[in-house]
Amino acid sequence: MRLSSFAVGVSAVLLSSGPATAAPSAELPPIPVTVRVDSDRIVAPLPPIWRFFGADEPNYATAPDGVALMRELGQLRHDAVYFRAHNLLTTGDGTADFKWGSTNAYTEKNGKPVYDWRIVDGIIDSYRARGVRPYLEIGFMPEALSSAPKGVPYRRAWKPGNDYKGITAGWSYPPNDYAKWGELIYQWTRHNVARYGRAEVERWYFEVWNEANLDFYWSGNPEQFYRMHDVAIDAVRRALPTARVGGPDVAGSGDAFMDGFLAHVTTGKNYATGKIGTPTDFVSFHAKGQPSVVDGHVRMGIANQLKTADAGFAKIAAVPSLAHKPIVIGENDPEGCAACPGPANAYRNGPLYASYTAASYARLWTLARRRGVTLEGALSWSYTFVGQPWFAGYRQLASNGVDLAVFNVFRLFAKLGENQVAATSDGEVALDTIVRDGVRAAPDVGALATRDRAGKVAILLWNYHDDDVPGPSAAVHVALSGKHGATARLWRVDATHANAFGEWQKLGSPARPSAAQVAQLKTASRLVAETVTVTPGGMDVTIPRQGVVLVELQP
């Protein structure tokens, strides 16, 4: 790590770490809330949409901290977790940096292709060895295939604080030879089938590029993207006719680019085959929130994220041939740049990110059901930034090998059952209200309950507010009906539970924690179960502001 990068990271800490979370006010009495759960009444299946993750920097998957975190991801649900990464075809030596990575998979010698899969194999091997599968993003453009005009550099180095547009360079251009581009994808897919097996690769997702509707990532026009997409998808299917293919992983969901893409893959002439339409097994787009700073505190923008997701669902549902295809929100986050710190992004290290995640994912399940679409995944663009200062203010799941509070919410999601059962909360913000306005008045004290095949009932509870300011706890009475056990395990994520960042602040925010302090941080990061007795009337749970609780009732 260069000294300059370290200095940048320290600045990020100073700007973006923020408080562990808004503390409850001792002067405000708890808000009484009643949650009613009928564990015998199944509402609908609950697909595990939370099991998708991703990052700009693919090479971190082979670094020690990245490997350790990949192992933890795989343990959420072995062989059912997926990881998406940019830069899997980018030219370079495999050294990761902010918003950058490379594999050198394609170069040319005397105008002839040279394929080298060693680095990209190492990345995918790291996934598979730890129970994670690729959501395989085909991109970006190798230097030898880039159509960038003479004088445009292949890469422009970027660091936090720079203009986001500064990432755009030769890697973002269409291919200068579509036949060579198609052959690259064909050979890569053939190689993956030979290396990992047909049955394995059939379980992957294949999509082309990232956010081609933004000139940050795509220096061509829509038709050039459709052509590049068609050629790549055709190449994948020639190598593996049963491959799961889709796209377009655009930013947002409502612009003309998405309209054009949906029209092209359903009714347009395929650039590779000359037939009408392009094989599409799943449809993907991105949904982001919009945090801000108001009166010196972070205000989250959950409404923006939910509106975007709902608009995407509606757009896909309106195309008859795609209406019942699986949907993956290929990036699903509180805002748009994981490597960009700043005051508005100070939600990231502590429980505010955790409670936002619980409240937003719960609404995604409901919105998809209301639109009648099949939501298969909501991918959190969060991993880790190797070699950066502690709690540097980036959107990630762990800092220097210590898990952040938000990762523990994904662990709670992994404890949910396959079927959602009836649950209501009189403290929950109504769906239409939170989509329109967010959570700006009363807090959102919500509930989601499930039952698994073995009969275990799990109840997820949260006390969320967009404004990260002191607020009252929620005194939640859970009234239970239906079959359930007499004892419960209770897991907490809040300012004082499963929150390493709060512990780091208590230690004085050391820039270089000692070995003993690192051990203390790891202990503070862990979920710890409490045993709770369930009475005939149910049970009582207190949830602090920006807190999340999971209750497990054994059969």
Side-chain angles (χ1 to χ4, degrees), residues 218-364:
W218 180 240
S219 297
N221 61 42
E223 288 297 327
Q224 288 172 311
F225 175 76
Y226 306 157
R227 182 180 180 186
M228 184 179 70
H229 171 85
D230 287 354
V231 170
I233 295 302
D234 178 67
V236 171
R237 281 291 184 87
R238 283 190 288 113
L240 181 60
T242 50
R244 178 164 46 186
V245 297
D249 271 286
V250 294
S253 58
D255 65 6
F257 190 104
M258 183 67 160
D259 294 336
F261 178 86
L262 297 181
H264 174 75
V265 299
T266 54
T267 62
K269 184 177 179 180
N270 188 296
Y271 281 100
T273 67
K275 298 177 182 179
I276 298 301
T278 307
T280 305
D281 299 315
F282 66 95
V283 185
S284 54
F285 64 90
H286 300 171
K288 306 283 185 174
Q290 195 171 28
S292 58
V293 174
V294 177
D295 296 332
H297 71 267
V298 173
R299 170 175 285 177
M300 302 299 284
I302 195 171
N304 197 69
Q305 184 173 351
L306 296 175
K307 284 175 190 174
T308 304
D310 193 40
F313 297 159
K315 186 178 289 291
I316 295 163
V319 182
S321 60
L322 298 176
H324 300 293
K325 299 283 187 179
I327 295 171
V328 179
I329 305 177
E331 294 183 21
N332 178 67
D333 302 294
E335 39 68 39
C337 176
C340 299
N345 292 336
Y347 70 86
R348 292 167 165 176
N349 283 319
L352 176 54
Y353 190 7
S355 60
Y356 179 102
T357 298
S360 61
Y361 273 72
R363 274 26 184 260
L364 292 175

Side-chain angles (χ1 to χ4, degrees), residues 112-181:
K112 301 296 183 182
V114 178
Y115 304 112
D116 184 347
W117 312 119
R118 287 175 294 179
I119 295 176
V120 73
D121 282 350
I123 292 166
I124 296 176
D125 287 352
S126 182
Y127 299 171
R128 292 303 304 125
R130 291 156 190 92
V132 176
R133 290 194 157 103
Y135 181 107
L136 204 66
E137 179 188 312
I138 299 172
F140 294 120
M141 194 57 61
E143 187 170 15
L145 285 178
S146 174
S147 63
K150 187 176 181 179
V152 174
Y154 181 67
R155 177 197 176 192
R156 290 186 174 96
W158 183 91
K159 63 182 180 180
N162 285 5
D163 183 357
Y164 198 83
K165 176 63 177 172
I167 67 172
T168 309
W171 58 262
S172 66
Y173 280 77
N176 55 34
D177 187 318
Y178 283 89
K180 287 182 176 179
W181 166 253

Side-chain angles (χ1 to χ4, degrees), residues 44-119:
L46 194 76
I49 63 173
W50 47 266
R51 60 198 170 96
F52 293 74
F53 302 89
D56 294 63
E57 305 83 7
N59 307 95
Y60 288 154
T62 59
D65 279 355
V67 166
L69 182 53
M70 192 66 66
R71 183 182 301 112
E72 294 296 316
L73 289 174
Q75 289 175 358
L76 293 175
R77 191 156 295 181
H78 192 79
D79 280 346
V81 172
Y82 287 85
F83 198 89
R84 176 174 181 254
H86 299 340
N87 294 298
L88 290 176
L89 293 177
T90 308
T91 302
D93 64 3
T95 301
D97 202 352
F98 288 108
K99 298 191 70 62
W100 180 256
S102 58
T103 67
N104 226 42
Y106 181 92
T107 55
E108 291 185 0
K109 185 175 183 179
N110 299 323
K112 301 296 183 182
V114 178
Y115 304 112
D116 184 347
W117 312 119
R118 287 175 294 179
I119 295 176

Side-chain angles (χ1 to χ4, degrees), residues 400-422:
N400 289 286
V402 175
D403 297 339
L404 301 184
V406 66
F407 192 21
N408 285 317
V409 171
F410 289 104
R411 290 189 171 105
L412 299 185
F413 287 160
K415 296 177 184 292
L416 296 173
E418 300 84 4
N419 291 304
Q420 185 174 348
V421 298

